[in-house]
């Protein structure tokens, strides 16, 4: 009955998260993970198919379009009427799968100072 939810938005405020967690030099937050007992049962969100995210020996994108289209359809069907990101800017999409959500998410600059934060933590990115 234990539930969890990854929280990548922790990278939106890395300095604050580092201070709160007491992180030393050469350590930075990548994601948070909320754990607890859900008040109500929820569906497990499917993830991108393994052939899209895992490659053995060499990169192979031959079936990406088919896998991602199927994943988009699955995500859209699982969440009918779910909120859509930034509707004032993009309007309401008839179908709103993972690809549409990511396109909208990345259309807005986020974490512009993350590189400066990582350098301040002692990492050389140059």
């Amino acid at each position: 009955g234990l539930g969890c939810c990854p929280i990548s938005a922790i990278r939106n405020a890395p300095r604050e998260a580092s201070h709160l967690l007491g992180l030393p030099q050469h350590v930075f937050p990548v994601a948070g993970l909320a754990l607890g007992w859900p008040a109500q049962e929820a569906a497990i969100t499917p993830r991108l198919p393994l052939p899209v995210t895992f490659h053995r020996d060499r990169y192979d994108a031959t079936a990406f379009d088919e896998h991602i289209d199927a994943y988009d359809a699955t995500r859209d069907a699982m969440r009918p009427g779910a909120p859509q990101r930034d509707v004032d800017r993009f309007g309401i999409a008839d179908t709103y799968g993972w690809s549409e959500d990511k396109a909208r998410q990345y259309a807005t600059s986020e974490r512009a100072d993350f590189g400066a934060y990582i350098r301040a933590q002692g990492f050389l990115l140059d």
Side-chain angles (χ1 to χ4, degrees):
L2 190 62
C4 68
C5 179
I7 304 172
S8 63
I10 196 168
R11 293 187 306 266
N12 292 349
R15 287 176 182 80
E16 294 84 350
S18 292
H19 177 73
L20 180 68
L21 298 170
L23 299 181
Q25 284 288 99
H26 298 102
V27 175
F28 62 92
V30 174
L33 186 63
L35 295 172
W37 285 269
Q40 58 194 28
E41 192 165 326
I44 296 174
T45 303
R47 298 294 175 213
L48 280 167
L50 278 178
V52 175
T53 60
F54 175 79
H55 305 271
R56 179 169 286 153
D57 295 329
R58 60 185 315 117
Y59 184 82
D60 179 9
T62 54
F64 273 17
D65 290 344
E66 294 84 12
H67 285 300
I68 291 173
D69 288 347
Y71 182 65
D72 281 337
T74 299
R75 288 284 302 262
D76 185 50
M78 276 190 70
R79 304 177 49 186
Q84 297 185 13
R85 194 184 297 265
D86 207 352
V87 293
D88 291 340
R89 186 172 169 195
F90 298 106
I92 301 287
D94 292 334
T95 58
Y96 191 75
W98 174 81
S99 295
E100 179 66 24
D101 183 64
K102 294 302 118 190
R104 291 181 182 200
Q105 178 181 5
Y106 295 128
T108 302
S109 178
E110 290 183 326
R111 306 174 184 148
D113 66 338
F114 197 73
Y117 162 74
I118 293 297
R119 285 179 182 89
Q121 286 298 98
F123 290 91
L124 302 176
L125 302 179
D126 304 311

